[in-house]
Amino acid sequence: QVQLVESGGGLVQTGGSLTLSCVASGTTSRLNAMAWYRQAPGKQRALVAATTSDGIRNYADSVKGRFTISRDYAKNLAYLQMTSLKPEDTAVYYCKADLFGLDYWGQGTQVTVSS
């Protein structure tokens, strides 16, 4: 059973930066795609950034140029570097990983951007 644990969330002022981490345990296999999603109060969970096992990355339009997703393939780690944060980035951020066609989710980490 793959388990994902996110960390790095917190409270930051507008224009600030945070880096989220997601570590996977419970498998020795290399994960396929890994992604970050977020869910703001009253809104649906939405994709923020994703990266395939080949390193292809894609981003939501709202975060392009500000957020960067990266991975440590050997350690099954994923990161989300967030810069120039805005109040509208406030949400719970979730890590998702794909292994053998199954999706796994973390519990989420709260990011709050104050104006």
Side-chain angles (χ1 to χ4, degrees), residues 89-112:
D89 295 318
T90 294
V92 178
Y93 284 71
Y94 297 91
C95 177
K96 189 184 86 168
D98 165 34
L99 181 64
F100 303 136
L102 297 177
D103 288 338
Y104 298 89
W105 291 88
Q107 293 297 310
T109 185
Q110 176 70 46
V111 172
T112 302

Side-chain angles (χ1 to χ4, degrees), residues 16-64:
S17 301
L18 282 174
T19 297
L20 306 182
S21 300
C22 172
V23 59
S25 61
T27 180
T28 57
S29 299
R30 177 166 156 168
L31 296 169
N32 294 329
M34 293 190 76
W36 288 95
Y37 285 72
R38 66 186 180 188
Q39 187 167 18
K43 295 187 177 181
Q44 290 188 331
R45 193 173 298 187
L47 177 69
V48 175
T51 177
T52 68
S53 58
D54 297 328
I56 298 172
R57 307 175 188 179
N58 64 85
Y59 298 91
D61 288 342
S62 60
V63 306
K64 283 180 181 177

